[in-house]
Amino acid sequence: MNAKNILNELSEKMATASTKSAIVGLDGFVDKIIKPVDSRFGQGADFEPIPTIEAFGQRIIDAAGESANIELYEEYEKLGGNGPIMANALVADGLKVQYIGALGQPMEAVFEEFAKNTNAVSICAPGITHALEFTDGKIMLGSMKGLDDLTLDRILEVMGEGAFIDAVNRADLIALVNWTMIPNMTAIFEGLLTRVLPNLGPKESGRWFYFDLADPAKRSRGDLKEVLNVISKFRSHGSVTLGLNLSEAKQVCDVFELGSVEEEADSLKSGATRIRNALNLPCVVIHPRSGAACATRDGAWYVEGPFCKSPKISTGAGDHFNSGFAAAEVIGLSPEACLMVAVATSGQYVRTGRSPSLRETARFIESWTSGSLSD
């Protein structure tokens, strides 16, 4: 398929996004952006930060056997978490979104505007990320205690069982992300399969599920295999897409002994196909930085991404890819067009730092594929 056909698809169907609704969840993080202090000259921001991760590491190493006092200067707080970022991007695409997740009890101030835009329901305290920024990267120190309270029973207690079932029943898209950081997420999936989804009526326009693991490296092989087998059962209730970055795809292939997958078009298509077949899923997507591939029952596709030499932001690029792909699926685009919309959504985000609309994505695709796109 060429870009013209994809743009025609998008042009014909993008208006239907406003008729679609989504439930997204379940994580939530308050990101505290921090500079470790090297030398202080006065109060507030009057200091010299520790410049590099190496220098910070050396400061810690030098304290071995003794002690150290390292001041952490908090520059600002912002909304974080895979779910909230994906939900914001779906709102920009025009979908009616309800967010359910860990936004605070009472709700943290950083989520207040987001909550208004997404009719959000807060279930418990969020995770806290202390993002120590250096000239050569970041060290993310996370506190996940609040996420221990994310359970299906707690969701039903806060929302009411009838209200939750009704919300799920009305949703065209149900996106459940960041399994890795939520200890009870597998149990939540199982509860949805046994206690909620059997109570839903048929949905003539279809129902889509989108899952993202969020780097399961710290979870056991057994945990990963278990949740993937649970995810595969959702196909009885709608169309299921599993979104993976390259590292996640390699881990899944390793757990199921499916061979290797590399950042090359044929390997990505083959890897997505092997994972899809092993789990009997309607769709599997693999999205490294260079492009993306997906496999369905009808075949496999690959599109190259719009590479950006100097991204304004990179955190959240994968969440924007997920939102672009999910939105495109829900409005009925072909797999190749879904890939194109997804990489274009992510490509715009890393260039501008904001979530684009589907109309903006169409203009971006036109500029990109015509060769007039500039970083």
Side-chain angles (χ1 to χ4, degrees):
M1 180 181 290
N2 61 35
K4 182 178 179 181
N5 291 338
I6 289 174
L7 286 168
N8 286 339
E9 271 195 63
L10 184 54
S11 176
E12 290 173 4
K13 296 181 178 180
M14 71 169 68
T16 64
S18 63
T19 70
K20 305 297 183 180
S21 62
I23 286 177
V24 185
L26 294 162
D27 68 339
F29 282 82
V30 176
D31 290 349
K32 298 177 180 286
I33 310 304
I34 288 169
K35 289 287 178 64
V37 175
D38 190 359
S39 301
R40 178 162 284 288
F41 310 114
Q43 66 182 22
D46 191 11
F47 67 89
E48 185 73 27
I50 298 175
T52 64
I53 293 175
E54 182 179 4
F56 181 70
Q58 191 61 52
R59 181 75 65 89
I60 294 171
I61 290 170
D62 291 344
E66 299 180 5
S67 62
N69 183 347
I70 301 176
E71 178 188 353
L72 302 179
Y73 180 78
E74 185 178 318
E75 294 192 305
Y76 61 93
E77 292 183 350
K78 68 178 184 66
L79 169 156
N82 299 104
I85 295 172
M86 182 179 182
N88 265 337
L90 287 168
V91 169
D93 281 331
L95 279 74
K96 296 185 289 287
V97 177
Q98 178 166 41
Y99 194 80
I100 301 172
L103 308 180
Q105 294 279 323
M107 188 174 293
E108 296 282 345
V110 295
F111 294 113
E112 288 178 356
E113 182 180 355
F114 167 77
K116 293 176 184 176
N117 293 334
T118 61
N119 190 28
V121 178
S122 182
I123 305 302
C124 60
I128 306 294
T129 299
H130 295 84
L132 280 58
E133 293 195 335
F134 304 91
T135 58
D136 58 348
K138 296 180 182 179
I139 299 292
M140 315 289 274
L141 304 175
S143 174
M144 314 298 174
K145 184 178 179 181
L147 303 183
D148 291 349
D149 295 328
L150 265 176
T151 65
L152 182 58
D153 284 339
R154 177 63 179 160
I155 293 169
L156 297 179
E157 176 188 343
V158 173
M159 290 190 68
E161 184 169 351
F164 179 70
I165 291 175
D166 182 61
V168 174
N169 189 46
R170 287 184 284 105
D172 300 284
L173 167 67
I174 300 163
L176 300 169
V177 300
N178 207 345
W179 167 79
T180 296
M181 299 294 185
I182 301 174
N184 301 307
M185 190 72 121
T186 300
I188 291 171
F189 292 169
E190 290 173 333
L192 289 172
L193 287 165
T194 59
R195 299 168 58 184
V196 177
L197 295 177
N199 295 317
L200 304 188
K203 194 169 183 63
E204 185 177 344
S205 58
R207 183 174 285 117
W208 285 262
F209 297 92
Y210 197 99
F211 294 92
D212 181 81
L213 301 173
D215 189 10
K218 75 175 185 179
R219 300 290 291 269
S220 72
R221 291 169 60 89
D223 282 352
L224 178 55
K225 194 167 189 177
E226 178 187 14
V227 75
L228 290 168
N229 285 325
V230 172
I231 286 171
S232 72
K233 297 176 183 177
F234 280 79
R235 67 183 182 273
S236 298
H237 302 280
S239 182
V240 180
T241 296
L242 174 64
L244 304 165
N245 64 27
L246 183 57
S247 173
E248 292 159 356
K250 288 181 176 181
Q251 292 174 65
V252 172
C253 283
D254 180 53
V255 164
F256 285 93
E257 299 181 350
L258 300 176
S260 63
V261 56
E262 303 299 333
E263 192 171 354
E264 183 268 326
D266 288 342
S267 181
L268 291 169
K269 289 193 292 183
S270 172
T273 300
R274 282 178 274 132
I275 293 170
R276 194 204 74 78
N277 290 342
L279 295 173
N280 194 19
L281 289 173
C283 183
V284 170
V285 185
I286 304 177
H287 53 97
R289 294 175 63 184
S290 59
C294 72
T296 73
R297 293 185 179 93
D298 298 322
W301 297 265
Y302 173 85
V303 299
E304 189 174 345
F307 178 72
C308 179
K309 291 184 291 185
S310 304
K312 184 173 183 177
I313 189 171
S314 57
T315 302
D319 303 315
H320 279 77
F321 177 95
N322 289 339
S323 72
F325 195 95
E329 279 192 307
V330 168
I331 65 174
L333 300 192
S334 65
E336 191 175 13
C338 289
L339 287 172
M340 183 73 84
V341 170
V343 298
T345 300
S346 181
Q348 290 171 93
Y349 171 73
V350 300
R351 285 167 169 82
T352 65
R354 66 177 187 84
S355 303
S357 68
L358 285 175
R359 195 166 299 280
E360 289 173 320
T361 295
R363 290 197 294 265
F364 180 89
I365 291 172
E366 188 171 14
S367 295
W368 163 34
T369 56
S370 67
S372 61
L373 180 66
S374 59
D375 284 340

